């Protein structure tokens, strides 16, 4: 009976130690899983930001092209206005000479 108690206590001690070891391993794996999930979220956020940044860069390039077109149109209209102003001055001069 004493030997049975001794074996039982040894088994109990060994199982308690095993439980502590497994609990520590479990906690370590949980922490590792949390870190991995955090890393994946950060990577997903970065990927999403990169996609958004790419979209904004494309939008900026498009706006620059539109701005250049509009600037050219304004420049052409300025030329036409100067030509019209010149013609008005010439016509006014011709009318005044009569």
């Amino acid at each position: 009976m004493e030997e049975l108690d001794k074996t039982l206590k040894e088994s109990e001690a060994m199982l308690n130690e095993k439980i502590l070891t497994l609990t520590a391993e479990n906690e370590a794996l949980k922490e590792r899983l949390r870190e991995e999930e955090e890393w994946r979220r950060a990577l997903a956020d970065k990927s999403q930001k990169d996609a958004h940044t790419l979209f904004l860069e494309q939008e900026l390039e498009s706006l620059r092209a539109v701005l250049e077109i509009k600037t050219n149109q304004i420049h052409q209209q300025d030329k036409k206005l100067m030509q019209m102003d010149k013609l008005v001055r010439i016509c006014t001069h011709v009318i005044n000479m009569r």
Side-chain angles (χ1 to χ4, degrees):
M1 182 82 169
E2 280 184 30
E3 193 164 316
L4 196 57
D5 279 343
K6 182 181 175 186
T7 306
L8 178 63
K9 287 182 183 185
E10 287 174 356
S11 295
E12 192 176 88
M14 188 173 61
L15 289 174
N16 281 334
E17 191 173 317
K18 186 77 167 172
I19 288 171
L20 291 175
T21 302
L22 290 174
T23 302
E25 285 180 26
N26 188 25
E27 290 301 318
L29 289 172
K30 282 181 182 178
E31 180 61 29
R32 188 171 168 195
L33 179 62
R34 276 192 292 271
E35 289 172 359
E36 182 71 22
E37 287 173 346
E38 187 177 313
W39 177 78
R40 287 179 188 226
R41 272 194 300 275
L43 186 62
D45 287 348
K46 184 181 184 308
S47 176
Q48 186 177 13
K49 286 178 185 176
D50 287 347
H52 187 66
T53 300
L54 179 62
F55 168 76
L56 290 175
E57 286 174 351
Q58 290 172 345
E59 189 68 16
L60 181 60
E61 195 59 38
S62 174
L63 290 172
R64 283 182 179 149
V66 169
L67 182 60
E68 185 176 338
I69 291 169
K70 295 295 183 182
T71 301
N72 286 337
Q73 288 175 345
I74 290 172
H75 184 67
Q76 292 300 321
Q77 288 180 353
D78 280 347
K79 280 184 176 180
K80 287 178 184 177
L81 279 173
M82 287 191 303
Q83 289 173 348
M84 288 176 64
D85 188 43
K86 184 177 179 181
L87 286 174
V88 166
R89 277 188 271 126
I90 291 172
C91 287
T92 304
H93 184 65
V94 168
I95 290 173
N96 285 338
M97 291 182 73
R98 287 186 177 180

